[in-house]
Amino acid sequence: MIIRTPASDDASGAVAAMYEEDIAADGFVHSYTAAMAVNPEAHDAFVALVKAVVPSIGIRVYEAATLGAARAIGSSHCLVAHARKSMTAGVADEAGLRAFAADDDSAFTAAEQAVIHYAARLSSSPREMTDADAAALREHGFTDRQIVDITLAAGLRNHFSRSLLALAVPLDDDPLIATELATALQHRAERGAG
């Protein structure tokens, strides 16, 4: 990675808060957090947008949108991080996420699978999307607000994942997720859209 990230020892203010949050939650500072700490105001804006969409759709649907987008983009960072977050939140277990890495979404409900598909379409072929894509979400009972927030959740993942890829942010060896699952997700990311 060519950019220089703020060192933990010298961190203060918003950067120190970002690092402390990672350490409190996961025991270490993620490389993606360090990269985003170069512009902590932008990071705060991103977090605020996430907090604005989650209340209407809930964490399960948010994670489905996030994982669907990350898989389509081919983002190892976001697949690994959100697989871990999904397990912590009770969205999916390790076996379900291994299946997800193999393009089997059966660990998710039918509505969540529709969200995964929608997020993948937004991430890989947004110009081809039509009202039929949103109508598929409506068939699963999502409201107008929820459809907009699902779209925003997938769009936010595109912003974050593509930024990490463009900056060549190194992938952490995450001790909080099983090595076999992390490897399966990384291999899926390497295959890209599909």
Side-chain angles (χ1 to χ4, degrees):
M1 177 170 64
I2 196 167
I3 63 166
R4 288 186 296 277
T5 61
S8 294
D9 298 343
D10 301 330
S12 62
V15 173
M18 290 171 67
Y19 288 1
E20 288 167 10
E21 187 176 324
D22 270 13
I23 291 168
D26 302 327
F28 66 102
V29 176
H30 292 275
S31 59
Y32 54 78
T33 300
M36 294 300 108
V38 172
N39 184 345
E41 296 82 11
H43 175 74
D44 288 347
F46 172 79
V47 170
L49 284 169
V50 170
K51 288 180 178 178
V53 301
V54 170
S56 82
I57 59 177
I59 195 67
R60 290 188 64 91
V61 171
Y62 174 77
E63 290 299 339
T66 297
L67 288 168
R71 183 172 66 185
I73 295 164
S75 172
S76 294
H77 292 90
C78 295
L79 282 173
V80 170
H82 284 276
R84 180 172 34 79
K85 290 177 182 188
S86 292
M87 287 189 294
T88 301
V91 174
D93 61 13
E94 185 175 336
L97 289 163
R98 279 184 193 234
F100 176 81
D103 298 327
D104 173 357
D105 301 338
S106 60
F108 297 86
T109 67
E112 291 162 355
Q113 289 178 42
V115 170
I116 290 167
H117 177 75
Y118 182 88
R121 289 262 300 156
L122 182 148
S123 303
S124 59
S125 53
R127 290 177 56 123
E128 296 171 15
M129 294 182 80
T130 67
D131 282 344
D133 294 289
L137 295 178
R138 174 132 17 251
E139 289 173 12
H140 288 280
F142 292 110
T143 65
D144 289 342
R145 169 67 188 263
Q146 290 172 321
I147 292 168
V148 169
D149 287 349
I150 289 164
T151 303
L152 291 171
L156 287 166
R157 186 54 38 203
N158 272 262
H159 156 72
F160 199 81
S161 294
R162 292 177 190 279
S163 296
L164 297 179
L165 289 168
L167 293 170
V169 175
L171 182 64
D172 297 312
D173 206 7
D174 190 334
L176 303 174
I177 190 168
T179 302
E180 299 79 16
L181 175 56
T183 300
L185 292 164
Q186 290 169 36
H187 287 158
R188 179 59 186 86
E190 291 166 6
R191 291 198 321 266

